[in-house]
Amino acid sequence: STETITHSIFKIENNRELGAIIQSLFIHQELAYVVDNTGEIEVVESESFKSIRTLNGFTNPRDVEVYENMVFVADWGPY
């Protein structure tokens, strides 16, 4: 196999850290949605991990699902 593992791919591609604890990852077509425990979801190119945008404003996001070009987020909300 010619596949390789690249450690710290997000940092290499974007010159910044991704987050402390990654909760989940969802890939839809050419995008990956990386759910972080900081209340943000990083949208990246699934092949390169180049950042497209950061979705924020969540309290405690846990998971992402994409349906008909809409992004649904499971957010535990305030306790």
Side-chain angles (χ1 to χ4, degrees):
S1 174
T2 59
E3 295 180 26
T4 59
I5 296 173
T6 304
H7 296 278
S8 303
I9 189 170
F10 184 87
K11 185 176 182 180
I12 291 168
E13 188 66 38
N14 299 289
N15 294 318
R16 62 183 171 98
E17 296 289 340
L18 180 56
I21 299 172
I22 304 306
Q23 181 65 34
S24 63
L25 172 77
F26 181 80
I27 297 175
H28 177 71
Q29 297 175 354
E30 67 279 344
L31 298 178
Y33 298 82
V34 185
V35 181
D36 188 359
N37 73 335
T38 61
E40 296 182 340
I41 298 170
E42 194 71 41
V43 183
V44 300
E45 294 175 355
S46 61
E47 292 289 323
S48 68
F49 262 62
K50 179 181 178 184
S51 179
I52 303 297
R53 70 180 297 187
T54 302
L55 307 175
N56 50 34
F58 303 101
T59 302
N60 202 359
R62 288 294 181 231
D63 205 2
V64 169
E65 186 68 42
V66 178
Y67 179 73
E68 294 185 2
N69 295 321
M70 293 182 288
V71 178
F72 295 88
V73 177
D75 189 5
W76 283 10
Y79 296 106

